[in-house]
Amino acid sequence: MNDTLCAAHDEIIHCTEDDGRPGCPLKTSDVVVISMLAVFSVVGIYGNGIVIFVYTKKKDKLTSSVFILALAVYDFLTSSVIMPYTATMIYLRFMILYDPLCKIYMFLITFSVPLSAFLMVAIAVDRYLCICHPFLHLMTKNRARAVIGILSAFAGLLGVLSCLAYSVYQYRDPFPNEDNCTISTDSSISNATLSTTAYPPKPVVLLPKYNGQCDYPGTIVTMEYLTTWQKIYSSFYLIPLIIVLILYVIIYHSVTRRRSKRRKQKALNNVSLKTSLKEPQKPTHPSPASSYTVLSSNDNNENNKEHVALQVEMYGNGVHSLAVDRASESMPLQPQHKHRTNGDENHHPHHEHSHHHHHLRDHDTIANIKTALMLFIVAVVFIIAFFPAWLMALGAIPHNSIVFYMYFVYNITNPIIYAFMNPTFRSDVKKICH
């Protein structure tokens, strides 16, 4: 392997192939990551921009629409700010001049990941309430916005606590090459020997030194703090992951149980219908001659001198009377033949309204289930995208920069998922294109 002499920090270093150190050419993997992030950034800005435009135009802002819009805004900011920032930092080998730029970058990175996880939990809770407890109405549009604001503030706090551990300055020992030993000569020994003389330890004052590379630990926190915080921070991926999986399992169990109950009810209704068809039907239409009787009443009371005509219709199960208009009194009354079957109660206005209400409720339930399925796939993509990077951060698997930065793919897949699984979104996008 050929060595190349490169200058960095006023010293000569040997650069090997795919070295990647500051002052050496970029590694092949870094070039791949920068190119990948550039493509992700363009696709994410375009796709999430369309999602933001479509969902801001929606008049019926459901809670699911509020969360989808929040996800799109977050993905848009990630694609337009964090991805280019990351590509620049990789190109510079994290060597930057100003410490605030280092802390801002680490804040954005450590703020975005837990926010994604928290939004996945909020969406899963919303779907759980809509499907398993549709009559509680706990999650409203205003409450959904409040939840998003609280989760964003909490994720911002986590980002601040994380970025404090990174800096372009590191502490250094002001006397790195000195030790507490002296050379003395004993008069009884002809040859000079080394003997250590015990001095009280000098107070060590660590001074911040400009290192130029955005790294940890910085000058604010210690390495012990960083080690402890990394364990706490990593749990903000695992805990939301467990909650999301549990909630979607409950949703799936509720949907399958409801479908099973509906199938059994439908089977019972079919059996009842077949049984009623086999029984002999009683005549429900009386003969025309006896289908009605007209009762006329002339009340001579001064308070009520109207001529009242009642048409009494005799049915198989009862008598029904209705008033006849005076103008039509002299006209022959026509029998009113009503086609009544065993299911006539369904034609009653109250039953028709109840049937319509059940139909709307079933339609809403199916729509909620479809939305839940779509958002469940969004959660699955989030879990798959972040899982390798999470294991690398914990040191469970070897680090690979290309696989590590693949978690950004999550920020560009959501518009694609909406396009495939939401016909309304597709039609809205077509309107925009035309």
Side-chain angles (χ1 to χ4, degrees):
M1 186 177 295
N2 296 327
D3 292 350
T4 307
L5 293 179
C6 299
H9 298 290
D10 298 329
E11 63 181 8
I12 304 299
I13 61 173
H14 292 277
C15 295
T16 59
E17 185 180 355
D18 276 352
D19 193 319
R21 288 180 294 170
C24 297
L26 283 172
K27 294 191 296 184
T28 305
S29 59
D30 290 341
V31 175
V32 173
V33 170
I34 292 173
S35 303
M36 179 180 69
L37 291 178
V39 174
F40 286 176
S41 179
V42 174
V43 175
I45 291 173
Y46 180 75
N48 290 293
I50 293 177
V51 175
I52 293 172
F53 182 81
V54 169
Y55 277 90
T56 50
K57 295 294 183 181
K58 281 184 175 296
K59 296 180 180 179
D60 52 339
K61 291 285 195 311
L62 303 175
T63 54
S64 59
S65 300
V66 173
F67 285 114
I68 289 174
L69 183 59
L71 272 179
V73 171
Y74 156 73
D75 291 338
F76 183 84
L77 293 176
T78 301
S79 301
S80 59
V81 178
I82 300 180
M83 288 184 190
Y85 208 152
T86 302
T88 304
M89 293 292 284
I90 294 174
Y91 177 77
L92 297 174
R93 328 303 163 80
F94 290 85
M95 299 292 298
I96 54 179
L97 183 61
Y98 301 105
D99 190 61
L101 294 178
C102 170
K103 285 184 167 54
I104 291 173
Y105 171 73
M106 298 311 303
F107 167 79
L108 292 175
I109 288 293
T110 55
F111 156 79
S112 62
V113 175
L115 180 59
S116 299
F118 297 157
L119 288 177
M120 290 298 102
V121 174
I123 289 172
V125 171
D126 175 62
R127 293 300 91 196
Y128 167 77
L129 293 175
C130 286
I131 294 175
C132 300
H133 303 283
F135 301 108
L136 292 180
H137 302 292
L138 292 179
M139 188 67 74
T140 62
K141 292 182 291 184
N142 291 331
R143 290 176 183 173
R145 296 188 184 100
V147 167
I148 293 170
I150 293 172
L151 294 178
S152 300
F154 184 59
L157 176 62
L158 298 181
V160 170
L161 295 176
S162 299
C163 74
L164 294 178
Y166 292 83
S167 177
V168 295
Y169 294 94
Q170 276 79 35
Y171 283 119
R172 66 179 178 86
D173 187 352
F175 310 104
N177 297 322
E178 295 186 8
D179 51 14
N180 293 327
C181 67
T182 60
I183 300 176
S184 64
T185 305
D186 192 347
S187 58
S188 62
I189 300 176
S190 58
N191 296 325
T193 59
L194 288 176
S195 64
T196 59
T197 304
Y199 288 99
K202 294 184 297 184
V204 178
V205 180
L206 298 179
L207 301 177
K209 176 187 176 182
Y210 175 75
N211 186 42
Q213 189 168 22
C214 185
D215 203 354
Y216 64 88
T219 58
I220 299 178
V221 299
T222 62
M223 194 65 188
E224 290 76 12
Y225 168 88
L226 180 62
T227 303
T228 305
W229 176 248
Q230 283 179 338
K231 295 177 182 178
I232 298 173
Y233 183 83
S234 62
S235 66
F236 289 111
Y237 170 82
L238 182 61
I239 295 174
L241 168 63
I242 295 174
I243 296 174
V244 167
L245 292 178
I246 290 175
L247 287 175
Y248 278 113
V249 167
I250 295 174
I251 291 172
Y252 175 78
H253 178 69
S254 175
V255 170
T256 53
R257 184 178 58 186
R258 192 175 302 173
R259 285 185 176 180
S260 176
K261 184 178 179 180
R262 186 168 298 177
R263 281 195 222 99
K264 291 179 181 179
Q265 186 66 35
K266 188 176 180 180
L268 290 175
N269 292 339
N270 291 336
V271 171
S272 301
L273 181 61
K274 291 179 181 179
T275 304
S276 62
L277 289 176
K278 290 179 181 179
E279 294 178 355
Q281 297 283 331
K282 293 183 180 182
T284 59
H285 298 289
S287 60
S290 62
S291 63
Y292 62 87
T293 304
V294 176
L295 300 179
S296 299
S297 173
N298 288 319
D299 195 350
N300 294 325
N301 194 337
E302 293 181 358
N303 295 329
N304 186 8
K305 295 184 178 181
E306 292 187 9
H307 180 79
V308 179
L310 296 179
Q311 176 180 346
V312 181
E313 298 181 359
M314 303 179 64
Y315 295 108
N317 7 348
V319 178
H320 176 65
S321 63
L322 58 96
V324 181
D325 188 83
R326 287 188 64 187
S328 61
E329 178 185 353
S330 59
M331 299 178 63
L333 295 175
Q334 298 295 331
Q336 297 183 4
H337 298 285
K338 295 184 179 181
H339 301 285
R340 299 173 61 88
T341 62
N342 292 331
D344 277 343
E345 63 275 5
N346 293 331
H347 297 285
H348 193 278
H350 172 71
H351 293 291
E352 289 180 358
H353 175 73
S354 177
H355 177 73
H356 180 66
H357 175 71
H358 286 297
H359 177 72
L360 290 178
R361 189 175 66 183
D362 292 343
H363 181 270
D364 291 341
T365 302
I366 293 173
N368 285 331
I369 292 172
K370 289 181 178 180
T371 305
L373 178 60
M374 180 182 71
L375 295 175
F376 171 72
I377 294 178
V378 171
V380 169
V381 172
F382 167 78
I383 293 170
I384 295 174
F386 281 91
F387 193 66
W390 181 68
L391 292 178
M392 292 178 192
L394 292 177
I397 59 176
H399 182 81
N400 184 295
S401 58
I402 298 176
V403 178
F404 181 86
Y405 287 106
M406 279 296 293
Y407 74 83
F408 281 115
V409 75
Y410 163 74
N411 302 107
I412 68 171
T413 54
N414 290 343
I416 301 173
I417 295 173
Y418 304 152
F420 274 103
M421 300 193 65
N422 193 336
T424 305
F425 179 76
R426 287 199 301 269
S427 62
D428 292 337
V429 172
K430 288 179 181 177
K431 293 178 182 177
I432 295 174
C433 295
H434 289 301

